[in-house]
């Protein structure tokens, strides 16, 4: 299943979100397998947990957030950032949102290192930082409607699903996979978990400033404005000339 959009428009242009998406795409183009010597840049700027544990290659804690292992890896991450990033940027402001995003990515990196401090497999991807965005979104808009694309073989269906169910299910899958397989499948589930939890915790001050539980009671967990509704329009009939 993939979230493709939310019913939660933002009041301002999400320049930081768009810029992050653009940077990730440009970096991928230059560091993809067809990049030749630039592939060394990918390896040198990935996150190597064992290296950080031994006090070297600290720059990977930040640079890994802008590297991806494949086109599907990139596309999935950018889709999630596109859907959920604009609303947090709108609420937090551009500078604070950028700091929040990087902090969540950093928390995700440390969570993965703590889970396997001697790992010699590089970690790349923006998913830890984006998981933080999802955690913050869940705290502010638990009942926002998310259009989710469900597919099974050749069957496709789009359902409007509350954010708490979409994001809660996603987080539950990360927990289950971490407990059953860890990172053996090539996915840093602990980074996702750490980023998500960090995002929720870092959004708590904003949530309290908005009213905390009162904010939820006033909005009932929905975005603080009426949702767009489809409205039927009568089309005038045209008389036929005899």
């Amino acid at each position: 299943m993939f979230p493709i959009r939310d019913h939660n428009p933002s009041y301002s242009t999400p320049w930081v979100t768009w810029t992050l998406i653009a940077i990730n795409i440009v970096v991928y183009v230059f560091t993809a397998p067809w990049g030749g010597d630039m592939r060394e840049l990918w390896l040198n700027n990935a996150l190597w947990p064992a290296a950080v544990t031994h006090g070297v290659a600290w720059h990977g804690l930040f640079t890994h957030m802008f590297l991806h292992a494949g086109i599907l890896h990139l596309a999935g991450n950018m889709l999630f950032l596109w859907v959920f990033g604009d609303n947090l940027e709108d609420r937090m402001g551009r500078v604070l949102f950028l700091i929040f995003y990087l902090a969540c990515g950093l928390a995700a990196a440390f969570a993965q290192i703590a889970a396997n401090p001697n790992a010699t497999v590089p970690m790349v991807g923006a998913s830890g930082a984006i998981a933080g965005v999802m955690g913050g979104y869940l705290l502010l808009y638990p009942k926002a409607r998310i259009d989710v694309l469900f597919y099974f073989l050749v069957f496709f269906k789009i359902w409007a699903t509350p954010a708490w169910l979409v994001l809660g299910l996603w987080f539950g899958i990360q927990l289950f996979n971490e407990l059953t397989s860890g990172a053996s499948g090539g996915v840093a589930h602990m980074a996702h978990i750490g980023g998500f939890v960090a995002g929720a915790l870092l959004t708590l001050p904003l949530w309290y400033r908005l009213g905390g539980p009162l904010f939820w009671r006033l909005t009932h967990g929905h975005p603080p404005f009426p949702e767009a509704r489809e409205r039927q329009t009568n089309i005038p009939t045209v008389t036929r000339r005899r």
Side-chain angles (χ1 to χ4, degrees), residues 157-240:
K157 178 71 175 179
I158 295 177
W159 280 321
T161 310
W164 67 266
L165 181 57
V166 176
L167 299 177
L169 180 60
W170 180 90
F171 185 72
I173 291 172
Q174 308 311 308
L175 281 174
F176 176 80
N177 288 335
E178 175 62 27
L179 293 174
T180 56
S181 63
S184 60
V187 179
H189 301 294
M190 197 61 208
H192 297 168
I193 295 168
F196 191 94
V197 172
L201 292 176
L202 291 173
T203 307
L204 274 175
L206 172 61
W207 181 67
Y208 276 114
R209 193 168 75 244
L210 292 172
L214 177 62
F215 175 71
W216 275 351
R217 288 197 295 270
L218 290 175
T219 64
H220 301 287
H222 292 277
F225 41 73
E227 294 181 355
R229 301 290 184 184
E230 294 182 1
R231 188 170 58 184
Q232 202 169 24
T233 304
N234 293 325
I235 301 176
T237 58
V238 179
T239 58
R240 182 179 297 177

Side-chain angles (χ1 to χ4, degrees), residues 41-58:
L41 180 67
W42 188 96
L43 291 170
N44 292 333
N45 288 282
L47 174 62
W48 297 84
V52 174
T53 300
H54 290 85
V56 295
W58 286 88

